């Protein structure tokens, strides 16, 4: 039995070959590698958590974006919903990691490449995209935005959802970062007093 990632994650073909029936998916979008002569214009780059799977995107703005609250997405992502941006299959170019992709078709619970399916890194298990019959749904949190302005094309920032539960919201680590604007006013005032006291103690200690 082979120890390759392919065997462990479905009928993915031979990691060292592009020939044969089981390797035909490598020649089709979204997995085929774009030739330089095609003029694939790289606008964004993305990767999984471990970096074994890396890709480029040519489209400046997604066709659409959505939140999916179905129970399948909730379970697979371990989150209240899935947040995805929709692209054409030819908008993506994988630069690393064909041999590190795993598939999962949720209706039959199989790892065979059958559309529509979930695509993930077979090593760190980061969800890469949902591959449909005509489109792909990418996850914007995997994209490395070099310019903060690029985020606006996806209508995102690090904070992607307002949760009005009346609790303090921090920009980073609790108590060591700033509160965002819609945190409860009493929490904002308390933090301001606390930091003023800390600055006063620091100032007194330097005298």
């Amino acid at each position: 039995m082979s120890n390759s990632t392919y065997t462990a994650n479905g009928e993915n073909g031979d990691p060292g070959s592009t020939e044969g029936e089981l390797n035909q998916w490598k020649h089709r979008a979204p997995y085929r590698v774009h030739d330089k002569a095609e003029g694939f214009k790289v606008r964004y780059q993305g990767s999984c958590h471990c970096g074994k799977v890396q890709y480029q995107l040519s489209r400046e703005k997604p066709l659409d974006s959505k939140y999916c609250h179905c129970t399948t997405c909730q379970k697979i992502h371990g989150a209240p919903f899935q947040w995805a941006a929709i692209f054409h299959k030819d908008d993506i170019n994988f630069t690393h990691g064909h041999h590190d992709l795993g598939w999962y078709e949720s209706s039959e619970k199989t790892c065979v490449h059958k559309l529509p399916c979930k695509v993930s890194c077979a090593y760190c298990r980061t969800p890469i995209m949902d591959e449909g019959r005509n489109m792909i749904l990418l996850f914007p949190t995997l994209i490395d935005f070099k310019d903060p302005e690029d985020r606006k094309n996806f209508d995102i920032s690090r904070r992607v959802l307002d949760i009005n539960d009346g609790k303090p919201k921090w920009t980073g680590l609790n108590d060591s970062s700033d509160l965002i604007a819609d945190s409860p006013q009493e929490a904002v005032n308390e933090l301001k007093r606390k930091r003023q006291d800390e600055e006063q103690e620091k100032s007194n200690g330097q005298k």
Side-chain angles (χ1 to χ4, degrees), residues 152-197:
K152 295 180 180 179
N153 292 328
F154 291 73
D155 295 323
I156 65 168
S157 63
R158 287 186 64 188
R159 179 187 179 208
V160 298
L161 183 68
D162 292 328
I163 301 177
N164 300 315
D165 57 5
K167 296 181 179 180
K169 308 293 190 306
W170 302 88
T171 58
L173 295 175
N174 289 10
D175 297 317
S176 61
S177 61
D178 294 325
L179 289 165
I180 65 173
D182 62 353
S183 292
Q185 189 59 47
E186 59 270 22
V188 175
N189 294 338
E190 181 181 350
L191 179 63
K192 184 177 180 180
R193 288 193 297 268
K194 178 181 177 182
R195 292 189 173 171
Q196 287 176 340
D197 291 342

Side-chain angles (χ1 to χ4, degrees), residues 105-152:
E105 196 281 310
S106 59
S107 63
E108 296 183 6
K109 296 182 173 59
T110 176
C111 293
V112 174
H113 186 222
K114 180 180 179 181
L115 301 181
C117 67
K118 308 283 185 180
V119 184
S120 62
C121 171
Y123 187 79
C124 68
R125 308 299 177 181
T126 299
I128 303 297
M129 64 183 178
D130 286 359
E131 182 188 0
R133 293 176 178 84
N134 301 303
M135 303 287 179
I136 54 175
L137 280 69
L138 293 170
F139 309 124
T141 48
L142 275 63
I143 299 172
D144 181 18
F145 292 102
K146 301 296 185 183
D147 186 342
E149 289 297 310
D150 289 338
R151 294 178 182 273
K152 295 180 180 179

Side-chain angles (χ1 to χ4, degrees), residues 24-32 34 88-92 113 115 131 136:
Q24 288 307 301
W25 62 272
K26 299 177 184 178
H27 300 279
R28 298 190 294 264
Y31 305 103
R32 74 179 185 89
H34 287 258
H88 289 301
K89 290 190 177 185
D90 276 323
D91 291 335
I92 191 171
H113 186 222
L115 301 181
E131 182 188 0
I136 54 175

